[in-house]
Amino acid sequence: MTFPFDEEILSLPFYEERHRALAGQIAAWTTAHSGLWRDVEAEDDPEKTELSIIRALGEDGWFAFLNESEAPDFRSLCLRREGLAYADDLADYAFSIQALAATPILRHASAAQRERYLPGLADASQVAAFALSEEQAGSDIAALQLRADRVGNGYVLNGRKAWVANGGIADLYTVIARTGEGPGALGLTAFLVPATTPGLQVHDRIRTIAPRAFANLTFEDCRLPADSVLGRPGHGFVVAVEVLDRFRMTVGAAALGFARRAMDAALGRAAERPIYDGRLLDLPTVRATLADMEVKLNAAALLVARAAWELDHGRRRFAKHSSIAKLYATESAQDIVDAAVQIHGAAGLIADSPTGRLYRQIRSLRIYEGTSEIQRTVIAQSLDLTRVGRTAP
Ligand SMILES: Cc1cc2nc3c(=O)[nH]c(=O)nc-3n(C[C@H](O)[C@H](O)[C@H](O)COP(=O)(O)OP(=O)(O)OC[C@H]3O[C@@H](n4cnc5c(N)ncnc54)[C@H](O)[C@@H]3O)c2cc1C
């Protein structure tokens, strides 16, 4: 059985016995279910592959926390993403989008909305998506234009959403739309929109360099009852930012999973590749590259663990650490994957080789849930200016 985690990191006080047990369960599950992503041509039909992974995760209780009284701790969510990403890109995607899209419902839904939606999301008979971005409004959430006009006892939605993960396979979309209670970010509201709502259409399915269920949506006179509002009118920005603040660290965790797989592949190749009457692993420059990869892996793992620990312990400034973890882990994972390709030489570039796939799969993590530049902006805003003047001479 492959163990996708670093046992030394897991033994640190950031983690508890239940986390170490969970790591073992994740390793066992991904080993037993690898056929879900190996036996099928995942890249030819990512939607079908992803749906079968979501259903299998649901059947085995991986989303049960979505219908339990206690919200999940983020160390557990991060470990799930790390282990699934180590195993497969779509396995991580299938888990993460369902968890992310259901979280605003967990945090803001009325009792009736919870009863209506959470059981189906928890057993994965229903699939969720989170539709925030638009073509002209990605990083700039305040520029969202999809309109939700108050008509009679409900709302009518008109406009578009872009880059929606699970778009096309979702049964339920959480949609952030402009209701105009205030300017910019103050005039947004979250809505729960079943995929069957007349006027909601998948405009186009998007093929990216690492194929996945991903689509643009159109809303044309899409009528919703007033009880579709999630949380309060005018509160949509808060609904969106709250979930992003929390899930950014999980993107760091997924990056860690991809990076550790790249590291393992690089080590294996370096140890087995004969060269100059020895092995690649014997060359000092290659050893130095591997050492740099190891340092980055450790730093990323510690930053992810710290961010999740901060959130799980109710620390107010967890969002800063979530951004730090995402920024460092995703940027360093890109470096680690690139170094793994380099160590493989030409063999590293074969399209369906592990390194070839990782090279395509790792790229999007520096863009979604806030680009690296947005994370830097958040971190810069959180700098402690009370330290100014305290510098030692
Ligand atoms: C795989 C994937 C899945 C996604 N899933 C979803 C989803 O499920 N739901 C959803 O709503 N969206 C989703 N997105 C969209 C994603 O959230 C946006 O792509 C992201 O927020 C960036 O927006 P943008 O693409 O419009 O780029 P832009 O905002 O146009 O940014 C372009 C460039 O400008 C830089 N930039 C922007 N603002 C600043 C700034 N203030 N300072 C410095 N540089 C800046 C950016 O960092 C970037 O380099 C997904 C994207 C990907 C790739």
Side-chain angles (χ1 to χ4, degrees):
M1 181 172 81
T2 318
F3 192 70
F5 303 98
D6 180 333
E7 276 166 303
E8 286 179 16
I9 301 257
L10 280 176
S11 71
L12 296 175
F14 284 122
Y15 295 104
E16 299 163 20
E17 208 39 56
R18 64 195 166 101
H19 297 116
R20 291 181 270 277
L22 174 65
Q25 289 158 17
I26 295 165
W29 194 89
T30 50
T31 304
H33 290 79
S34 62
L36 282 174
W37 44 88
R38 287 220 188 102
D39 288 350
V40 285
E41 286 298 322
E43 300 211 340
D44 288 345
D45 196 346
E47 297 186 346
K48 190 172 149 212
T49 306
E50 204 195 315
L51 263 180
S52 46
I53 299 171
I54 294 179
R55 304 276 193 242
L57 286 165
E59 271 167 30
D60 291 342
W62 290 96
F63 298 117
F65 65 84
L66 295 176
N67 200 27
E68 284 165 358
S69 52
E70 243 181 64
D73 73 285
F74 270 72
R75 283 163 294 169
S76 298
L77 283 188
C78 285
L79 288 174
R80 287 169 203 223
R81 281 203 73 176
E82 185 180 340
L84 289 166
Y86 183 98
D88 180 67
D89 177 42
L90 279 183
D92 167 57
Y93 194 73
F95 175 75
S96 66
I97 306 302
Q98 181 85 343
L100 177 142
T103 292
I105 306 174
L106 269 181
R107 294 183 61 76
H108 299 282
S110 65
Q113 288 170 330
R114 294 174 74 93
E115 202 175 313
R116 180 170 172 197
Y117 295 117
L118 289 179
L121 297 177
D123 68 16
S125 55
Q126 299 282 296
V127 173
F130 185 66
L132 171 67
S133 306
E134 296 173 11
E135 190 78 46
Q136 78 298 336
S139 306
D140 185 6
I141 301 176
L144 291 182
Q145 287 179 8
L146 180 100
R147 290 168 56 96
D149 296 318
R150 191 92 219 210
V151 176
N153 193 26
Y155 292 84
V156 177
L157 270 57
N158 276 293
R160 289 187 175 196
K161 286 289 174 191
W163 321 119
V164 181
N166 283 358
I169 63 167
D171 301 287
L172 177 68
Y173 294 90
T174 298
V175 177
I176 309 292
R178 182 158 300 285
T179 37
E181 287 76 8
L186 300 177
L188 303 174
T189 299
F191 293 90
L192 293 174
V193 187
T196 49
T197 309
L200 165 56
Q201 278 197 335
V202 173
H203 179 64
D204 50 14
R205 289 165 201 263
I206 308 160
R207 290 291 271 181
T208 52
I209 53 175
R212 52 196 62 249
F214 199 39
N216 293 331
L217 309 175
T218 51
F219 297 77
E220 223 178 285
D221 291 333
C222 188
R223 289 179 178 274
L224 296 173
D227 66 3
S228 307
V229 170
L230 177 64
R232 285 190 279 122
H235 222 231
F237 183 76
V238 174
V239 171
V241 168
E242 265 196 354
V243 70
L244 294 176
D245 280 350
R246 284 168 171 73
F247 273 77
R248 278 173 180 158
M249 65 181 74
T250 76
V251 185
L256 193 53
F258 288 113
R260 187 163 290 119
R261 186 146 47 102
M263 178 77 189
D264 288 351
L267 261 180
R269 174 76 176 183
E272 282 160 18
R273 168 80 164 154
I275 196 165
Y276 311 121
D277 296 328
R279 301 173 304 168
L280 208 51
L281 187 60
D282 303 323
L283 303 178
T285 316
V286 171
R287 294 177 75 82
T289 299
L290 288 165
D292 287 344
M293 292 161 78
E294 179 68 7
V295 172
K296 285 177 182 160
L297 263 184
N298 272 269
L302 290 170
L303 289 174
V304 168
R306 188 218 172 139
W309 185 93
E310 295 269 351
L311 175 53
D312 291 343
H313 287 77
R315 301 281 191 109
R316 212 167 39 85
R317 282 161 68 82
F318 79 85
K320 165 188 174 178
H321 296 287
S322 198
S323 284
I324 291 175
K326 181 186 191 268
L327 175 65
Y328 185 82
T330 58
E331 293 281 335
S332 61
Q334 182 89 46
D335 295 344
I336 291 168
V337 168
D338 189 70
V341 170
Q342 196 71 9
I343 284 175
H344 279 72
L349 293 171
I350 294 171
D352 66 353
S353 67
T355 46
R357 278 198 298 271
L358 283 167
Y359 197 71
R360 288 182 284 110
Q361 291 165 350
I362 198 62
R363 190 61 184 86
S364 67
L365 278 71
R366 289 164 60 209
I367 293 178
Y368 71 78
E369 292 179 39
T371 62
S372 290
E373 291 72 24
I374 293 300
Q375 306 314 322
R376 288 191 177 93
T377 307
V378 171
I379 297 161
Q381 280 164 354
S382 75
L383 294 176
D384 182 3
L385 294 180
T386 64
R387 295 186 66 83
V388 174
R390 282 200 268 153
T391 322

